[in-house]
Amino acid sequence: MSQTKRTLHTSTPLMYSTSMSRQAGCNVWLKLENMQPTQSFKIRGIGNLCVQALAEHGTSHFIAIGDTNTALAVAYSARQLGVAATVFVPASGGTAPPIRAKIELEGAAIVENGRTLRDAYAAACAFAEKTAGAFVVDSADAAAVVAGNATVAAEINVQLQQQKPAAVVTTVGSGGLLAGLISGLQQCGWQRVPVIAVETHNTNSFQQALLADDERPGAATSDAPSLLPPLESGAEPDCDIRTGPSGRSGCDGTRDSGTRSEPTVATCLLAGATSERAVELTREHPVVPLSVTEAMAVDACRRLLDNHQLLVEVGSAAALSVVGKGLLRQIVPSLGP
């Protein structure tokens, strides 16, 4: 089999959730991306990009930045493809994040440099310039990443036996998964299936990017289905859910998120930049951006463990907080049992 045909991710189960279906008042399936070799969807896009880089450019050294799921996917891909990998990270001060041990277990070298991710990124780029065959994996918008992430929708299409879903709920960080999902849904002929993109209040860079998107029709006002009555004089809602504009929507053109950094337990949703491809795609596909409280995401994580004995990152569980609160019908009134 040629390298261009090779895939490093696995097809994951689509599990029907009786408990969540009862809570939501409609059928709910869970796409278990935690069953990937790297425990996240990242290996779909990153694996596809690494396979392509090796086949087309003869890459012999992959470089990643940060103690992240992306870096873990890069390290795994490098080991599977038989090439070197180096991950640049800020100095940990003696207490490294748990994911670093997983990255090292995949055989990647760890280089601590500077105090911030910006410092680590600069060091990674300098290393790449003087290293033959080096390839820096730093874009959620690369066509190969989007195409790899689109395989999620292709699998769902097969697993549902081509039955169109009423809606897809996902979490969103930088937007790479969202771009892939939308692309995949469109390839399946599901152009009007809405995507509910969930973040926490402290990680809602994508929601803010859509608010700032001047090319979105009606950008001056929010045209998303509202879960809340109109707020007066800047009052805060009671239900801890915030809706943004429904969007439409490419990176190396990532855009600076421009949002303040707040403490969060949903660390996998933190993004310093937002995928331009995702923003572009939301201009032509129905997307409802929502943000929920950190407490709601934690509660959803606990309920998933209680109901299905599955433990995932808090950020990943944020999407389930919308399902668990029975709010789906308010967002997508056409949902049926």
Side-chain angles (χ1 to χ4, degrees), residues 91-108:
S92 62
T95 306
I99 196 171
R100 188 174 299 181
K102 294 182 179 181
I103 295 171
E104 292 179 313
L105 189 61
E106 294 295 344

Side-chain angles (χ1 to χ4, degrees), residues 11 14 152-163 188 190:
S11 177
L14 185 70
V152 174
E155 287 178 18
I156 292 173
N157 186 29
V158 172
Q159 291 165 323
L160 289 180
Q161 299 180 337
Q162 288 74 51
Q163 296 183 51
C188 294
W190 294 344

